Amino acid sequence: MTEQRWLQTFAAARPNGGPTQARLVCLPHAGGSPSFFRDWPQHLDPRIETVAVCYPGRQERFGDPVITDMHDMSQRLAAVLAPLGDRPLWLFGHSMGAAIGYEAARVLWNTYGVHPAGLFVSGIAPPHRIEKGDVHLQGDDAIVADVLDMGAAESALLAEPEFRELLLPAFRADYQLIESYRPTDTPPLDIPLTAYYGTADEDAATWIDEWARYSVRSTVTMPFPGGHFYLQDAAPQLLADLSHRILAGTQGEG
């Protein structure tokens, strides 16, 4: 699969046409798409390039076979991201995307020798706390109910019959991927790790501090008001923090 089909770049006007200092790769939640991050350049420092991942089976990739296995997803994604390592490369993932980001970071280093500058995880407990689930084995109504309960604005399309049949295969694939995910017993990463979460998101907040075991470097946890999709309302504050951490890390200040 070509890089162009996996990645979408959202450009922001850079002051004086200055160069990109870092890249932020954004990995969507289950059922999510690159459009979730479309407005992020409005709040990120313009020196940071925003690149969003498009998993198979959505948007321009509706015809591509979906991926239901974490190992397959992380291997294929890392192969696409490796050429982006010519600039400081930061990974941000929300919910399922955070687990994919963690696994892809491991593959980038172990297979391609690309050392991500840092990993941001959002709205998810650490890998060893992710419980095996069976929602993907249940009927369509169970998946739709669970998705709508999470509160993603874009998921409201599932309530529309004309979109439901089109979108459900990607949601089911993503649920299977994360519900069957079991992390391998490997050494922790050697990169800074920041874990964001909504204070009302019990699934993440209960275990968020345990992300510290996944990096030998500094690990920061940061709460925001709200539930699982706290970042829909807190985007300006979240992205201000991301900008600070990325530029400080890129310039060797943190």
Side-chain angles (χ1 to χ4, degrees), residues 35-252:
S35 60
F36 186 82
F37 304 102
R38 181 180 53 235
D39 297 332
W40 277 32
Q42 298 178 19
H43 304 290
L44 274 174
D45 188 284
R47 291 168 288 182
I48 302 169
E49 182 180 69
T50 307
V51 180
V53 172
C54 185
Y55 309 129
R58 62 216 77 198
Q59 288 196 342
E60 291 81 2
R61 304 191 67 188
F62 273 124
D64 295 342
V66 295
I67 298 176
T68 59
D69 176 76
M70 178 65 82
H71 176 77
D72 187 18
M73 177 69 84
S74 61
Q75 292 285 335
R76 293 174 63 182
L77 178 59
V80 173
L81 296 181
L84 303 186
D86 61 324
R87 299 282 175 86
L89 185 63
W90 300 73
L91 306 179
F92 174 95
H94 180 65
S95 197
M96 179 193 76
I100 295 174
Y102 163 70
E103 292 292 342
R106 292 179 51 248
V107 179
L108 280 167
W109 177 245
N110 293 330
T111 302
Y112 298 98
V114 174
H115 199 176
L119 173 65
F120 302 107
V121 296
S122 169
I124 193 171
H128 68 283
R129 292 293 186 181
I130 298 176
E131 298 181 357
K132 191 171 184 178
D134 63 356
V135 175
H136 70 279
L137 298 174
Q138 301 178 33
D140 293 348
D141 289 344
I143 294 178
V144 172
D146 195 71
V147 171
L148 295 179
D149 185 61
M150 292 288 184
E154 60 188 6
S155 300
L157 289 173
L158 281 176
E160 303 294 331
E162 61 268 31
F163 292 110
R164 179 167 162 160
E165 185 175 349
L166 186 64
L167 298 175
L168 268 174
F171 277 96
R172 187 178 297 279
D174 290 351
Y175 267 66
Q176 181 176 347
L177 183 149
I178 196 62
E179 289 184 336
S180 62
Y181 168 51
R182 286 298 172 269
T184 54
D185 186 14
T186 58
L189 298 169
D190 185 17
I191 59 176
L193 193 156
T194 304
Y196 300 103
Y197 67 101
T199 53
D201 183 4
E202 295 182 1
D203 289 341
T206 303
W207 311 110
I208 199 73
D209 289 342
E210 294 186 24
W211 269 106
R213 71 172 63 182
Y214 290 89
S215 177
V216 299
R217 302 280 294 280
S218 62
T219 300
V220 176
T221 60
M222 179 168 292
F224 286 92
H228 188 62
F229 280 95
Y230 72 90
L231 66 176
Q232 292 178 151
D233 294 325
Q237 296 82 7
L238 170 65
L239 294 170
D241 190 74
L242 285 171
S243 294
H244 169 74
R245 295 182 188 279
I246 290 172
L247 293 177
T250 299
Q251 297 163 7

Side-chain angles (χ1 to χ4, degrees), residues 22-41:
R23 291 189 175 100
L24 176 64
V25 175
C26 302
L27 298 101
H29 51 279
S33 63
S35 60
F36 186 82
F37 304 102
R38 181 180 53 235
D39 297 332
W40 277 32

